[in-house]
Amino acid sequence: MPTEHSSPVSRRKLGIFGVVAGVAAVLVVVTGIRAREDSSARLREWTDNQAIPTVAVVLPDARALAATLDLPGRLEAYSRAPIFARVSGYLKSWSADIGAQVKAGQVIAEIEAPDLDQQLLQARADLASQQASAKLSEATLTRRKSLIASNFVSMQEIDERTADLSNKKAAVNSGQANVERLEALAGYKRITVPFDGVVTARDTDVGALINAGGGSGPPMFVVSDITRLRVYVNVPQNYVPSIRTGAKAVITMPEYPDRTFLATVEASSQSVDVGSGTTRMQLALDNAKGELMPGGYANVRMSLQRDTLPLHIPASALIFNKSGMRVATVGPDDKVLFKTVTIARDLGRDIELGSGIAPDDRIIVAPPDGIADGDQVRVAGDKGIAKPATASEKQGSKG
């Protein structure tokens, strides 16, 4: 410790040492403050970066994931004729039971109609009487005309006789028409087949009371031509434009699990049922071997034909809230832009969209909660786009 007798040199050294120490202390303080400021800046930067969500995006997939549509259908005979009686009476006999192969014009039943038989006899008798009256009137007119020259009869009487003959002939024509009508009805006592086919129903028996007409009960017989079948399918409205006349369809039946049958779209009802929102379509199916039965259930796989390929996105990309059905896209400036979409088909993990997005839109695969229009996001990956795997890539990954 310096004393009062220390030399001036010693006091000078002590002063220099104190200055150096002060400078060093100031440098330490400055360095510490700057380090804290740098650390605080890095912390603020890290915090700001963490506040920007990172999202994975994908481009819409334009591949046709499912070019077919499976729908339930119902088989019907291509030609089907319920047969009702045209005359009343009792069934005398029948000769074709269900499952019988019948030919056009074949008699399969006969009806006894005694009332009709008596009406026919009466009509023939009335016709004979009318013919006799007309013959007498004609003979009388001929005789009266021969007396005109002797002035024995007047022209007035000739005119009256001529009019009477015309009335008699008209009565003959009426009677003849009535006889022919009853004879035609009598012909319906024999029940004949309208076309080649199979008897698919019989609801009568010998002695049964038969009522003329088709509104008082079931038909006596039903004859169906099953060499060709009609397949009726109710197609949802949004798929109707993709199913065109002439398109092929594959039919599968429960009774033939290992077989398929080919059908062709023939016609559409061109209207939408209000209750179901579907359009009825008719397909033609060859059944020359008679393997398929009318009235049966069938599964119909129809081919969809589209002018443009539909766009598909992952199901996780959909957002449904009070604003409707939307997806979140990322713009060129990495900001969120919501777009309203419509769903064409729900395929499980994938959704086929009907409208709302473009092929080059970057779709957020799983939008974070609370994300809003205009939010800044960070896109994961090098370029931020997860491209759909091709068929060859998928096959390679399986291998």
Side-chain angles (χ1 to χ4, degrees):
M1 184 154 186
T3 63
E4 294 179 355
H5 301 287
S6 298
S7 65
V9 175
S10 300
R11 287 195 297 271
R12 191 181 305 113
K13 289 181 179 180
L14 289 174
I16 293 171
F17 179 76
V19 171
V20 172
V23 171
V26 171
L27 289 176
V28 169
V29 172
V30 170
T31 303
I33 292 173
R34 184 172 297 173
R36 285 196 296 271
E37 288 179 351
D38 291 343
S39 177
S40 179
R42 287 194 298 271
L43 178 61
R44 283 196 302 271
E45 182 181 357
W46 181 86
T47 303
D48 291 341
N49 289 338
Q50 293 303 310
I52 299 176
T54 301
V55 297
V57 298
V58 65
L59 289 177
D61 188 357
R63 291 181 294 112
L65 298 182
T68 59
L69 178 65
D70 288 346
L71 292 171
R74 187 65 61 183
L75 303 182
E76 296 291 345
Y78 207 83
S79 298
R80 178 180 179 274
I83 299 177
F84 293 89
R86 287 282 288 114
V87 297
S88 298
Y90 296 92
L91 189 66
K92 180 180 179 180
S93 63
W94 58 270
S95 59
D97 208 346
I98 57 173
Q101 298 282 342
V102 292
K103 298 292 184 181
Q106 178 180 337
V107 177
I108 57 175
E110 290 191 37
I111 299 174
E112 286 184 337
D115 293 346
L116 177 60
D117 294 340
Q118 293 303 315
Q119 291 175 17
L120 181 57
L121 290 175
Q122 181 180 351
R124 286 171 175 167
D126 291 342
L127 176 60
S129 174
Q130 292 159 354
Q131 289 172 337
S133 296
K135 187 175 182 180
L136 176 60
S137 179
E138 183 177 10
T140 301
L141 177 60
T142 301
R143 285 195 298 270
R144 290 293 187 270
K145 286 182 177 180
S146 65
L147 299 175
I148 292 178
S150 61
N151 293 325
F152 184 78
V153 295
S154 64
M155 289 302 299
Q156 178 67 26
E157 184 177 356
I158 294 299
D159 292 341
E160 291 176 354
R161 292 294 178 182
T162 301
D164 181 68
L165 177 59
S166 296
N167 288 335
K168 294 294 193 300
K169 288 183 177 181
V172 169
N173 292 336
S174 176
Q176 183 65 41
N178 189 41
V179 169
E180 292 175 356
R181 177 182 68 84
L182 293 173
E183 286 177 344
L185 282 176
Y188 287 114
K189 293 191 296 182
R190 304 169 73 243
I191 306 299
T192 58
V193 177
F195 50 77
D196 295 355
V198 178
V199 177
T200 54
R202 176 184 64 83
D203 194 11
T204 190
D205 213 336
V206 174
L209 176 63
I210 305 299
N211 294 313
S216 59
M220 299 174 61
F221 299 90
V222 176
V223 177
S224 303
D225 178 8
I226 63 172
T227 56
R228 293 183 71 197
L229 297 177
R230 304 178 194 265
V231 185
Y232 290 103
V233 182
N234 293 324
V235 180
Q237 180 180 350
N238 56 324
Y239 294 114
V240 173
S242 302
I243 301 174
R244 302 170 184 173
T245 301
K248 300 300 181 182
V250 177
I251 309 296
T252 56
M253 305 293 297
E255 60 267 37
Y256 300 110
D258 299 328
R259 296 182 58 185
T260 58
F261 303 86
L262 191 64
T264 305
V265 178
E266 277 194 337
S268 167
S269 65
Q270 298 296 320
S271 63
V272 178
D273 180 73
V274 177
S276 63
T278 60
T279 295
R280 196 178 200 198
M281 288 194 171
Q282 174 183 300
L283 293 77
L285 174 62
D286 183 61
N287 190 40
K289 297 180 180 180
E291 297 174 307
L292 306 180
M293 299 178 291
Y297 166 84
N299 181 73
V300 184
R301 175 165 293 179
M302 310 184 76
S303 299
L304 302 180
Q305 301 176 9
R306 301 185 180 181
D307 297 329
T308 58
L309 289 177
L311 297 178
H312 299 83
I313 63 172
S316 60
L318 287 178
I319 301 173
F320 182 71
N321 51 30
K322 63 181 181 180
S323 300
M325 187 72 67
R326 300 186 299 169
V327 296
T329 65
V330 178
D333 54 356
D334 286 347
K335 290 186 177 180
V336 175
L337 176 61
F338 280 92
K339 293 189 175 183
T340 302
V341 297
T342 58
I343 295 178
R345 280 196 295 174
D346 186 347
L347 303 173
R349 297 178 59 183
D350 296 289
I351 300 296
E352 181 180 306
L353 296 181
S355 64
I357 62 173
D360 57 350
D361 282 337
R362 295 190 294 172
I363 309 297
I364 298 179
V365 177
D369 292 337
I371 195 171
D373 261 327
D375 285 355
Q376 188 75 34
V377 294
R378 181 180 294 104
V379 177
D382 294 336
K383 295 185 178 180
I385 298 177
K387 295 184 179 179
T390 63
S392 59
E393 291 172 346
K394 289 184 177 181
Q395 187 64 29
S397 64
K398 291 180 180 179

